[in-house]
Amino acid sequence: MNVLLLGATGQLGRPLLRQALAAGHGVSAFVRRPERLDLAHPRLRAVRGDALDPAGVAAALPGHDAVLSTLGGSPDVVTQGARHLVAAMQGSAVRRLIAVAAAGILPLDDRTLVRDLPTFPAGFREVSAAHLRAYELLVASDLEWTLLCPPALVGGALTGRYRVQAEHALSDARTVSTEDAAHFILGELTAPRFVRMRVAIAS
Ligand SMILES: NC(=O)c1ccc[n+]([C@@H]2O[C@H](COP(=O)([O-])OP(=O)(O)OC[C@H]3O[C@@H](n4cnc5c(N)ncnc54)[C@H](OP(=O)(O)O)[C@@H]3O)[C@@H](O)[C@H]2O)c1
C-alpha cells in the first residue's frame, strides 16, 4: 500500500517506518525536518510539512491508500494535528486512518476512564486530555479509523507477541515495545480488525 506517515521521526514512528518499508509499502513521511529521517529507501518519500498547517496536511493526502499517525510531542500537536488530519481526510478519497493515543483514554469495567483514576500520573493529564479530544474528533467523523492506545512505549526486539483488546483497558498493561506497537499498526493496515475502535495493547 501507499501510506502517508506522520511522526516518522519519533520514538514509535521510526520503527513503524522501517517495518512499513520492509513489508513492501510505499511511505510518504510527512516531516518538519526531512534530514531527521536518517534513512534512504526507494519506496520512501519525504514530504516537508507541519501538522499544525491544515493546508499542508491536505496537500499531502492525495494518492495514498491510508494514513498512519504517531504524532506527539505536545498536547497542541496531538489535538490540532488530529483536527487538521480529520478535516483533510473528510474532504478526500483517503478514508483509512490508524493513529496512536494512549492507554489513559480507555475505559475500565465500570466505564471510568483510566485517566480519571486518582492514581493516574498528574504529569500525563494534559496530553491525555489532548488524546481524548482527538478521539472525540475521530468518533464524530465518518472515517475508518483505528486508535491504538498503548501504555509506556519501551525499546526491545520485535516479538509479535502482545495482547490487544478493543474498547477496554487491559488489566496489568504496563509497557509495550515500539517494535510490537508498530507491528500491530501494520497488521491492522493490511487486515483491519478494529475499524472505528480504540485498541488497548500491552506486552
Ligand atoms: N512514548 C510513550 O511512552 C507513549 C506512551 C503512550 C502513548 N504515547 C503517544 O504515542 C504517540 C507517539 O509517541 P512517541 O513517543 O513516538 O512521540 P515522539 O517521539 O515525541 O514523536 C512525535 C513525532 O511527532 C512529530 N511532530 C511533532 N510536532 C509536529 C508537527 N507540528 N508537525 C509534524 N510532525 C510533528 C515529531 O517530529 P519532530 O522530529 O519534527 O519533532 C515526531 O516525529 C504520541 O501521541 C504519544 O503521546 C507515547
Side-chain angles (χ1 to χ4, degrees), residues 48-176:
R48 187 188 291 273
D50 192 310
L52 296 176
D53 167 27
V57 173
L61 267 183
H64 297 99
D65 302 304
V67 178
L68 310 179
S69 174
T70 61
L71 277 178
S74 77
D76 198 38
V77 167
V78 167
T79 306
Q80 291 299 99
R83 188 181 307 284
H84 300 329
L85 197 49
V86 167
M89 289 182 73
Q90 295 253 87
S92 87
V94 189
R95 311 305 296 161
R96 183 73 172 120
L97 169 63
I98 307 176
V100 179
I105 68 160
L106 290 165
L108 298 155
D109 282 341
D110 65 356
R111 297 187 167 212
T112 305
L113 298 185
V114 170
R115 65 182 305 276
D116 292 331
L117 292 173
T119 49
F120 190 77
F124 292 162
R125 281 197 200 286
E126 206 188 341
V127 72
S128 174
H131 281 305
L132 193 57
R133 286 194 291 277
Y135 164 63
E136 288 162 356
L137 291 169
L138 293 178
V139 171
S141 79
D142 63 1
L143 298 175
E144 294 165 18
W145 54 268
T146 299
L147 190 58
L148 185 63
C149 300
L153 292 165
V154 295
L158 171 62
T159 69
R161 290 190 308 275
Y162 46 85
R163 298 171 287 155
V164 291
Q165 181 161 275
E167 289 294 331
H168 199 277
L170 277 164
S171 59
D172 238 12
R174 298 273 179 269
T175 64
V176 68

Side-chain angles (χ1 to χ4, degrees), residues 1-5 16-29 41-45 61-68 89 93-98 144 146 184-193 195:
M1 288 194 199
N2 247 332
V3 297
L4 179 67
L5 170 60
L16 181 56
L17 173 60
R18 262 188 286 102
Q19 287 189 36
L21 292 169
H25 300 296
V27 182
S28 303
H41 190 284
R43 274 181 279 101
L44 169 62
R45 186 171 70 101
L61 267 183
H64 297 99
D65 302 304
V67 178
L68 310 179
M89 289 182 73
V94 189
R95 311 305 296 161
R96 183 73 172 120
L97 169 63
I98 307 176
E144 294 165 18
T146 299
F184 169 83
I185 291 169
L186 291 175
E188 185 63 18
L189 175 68
T190 48
R193 291 187 296 152
V195 175

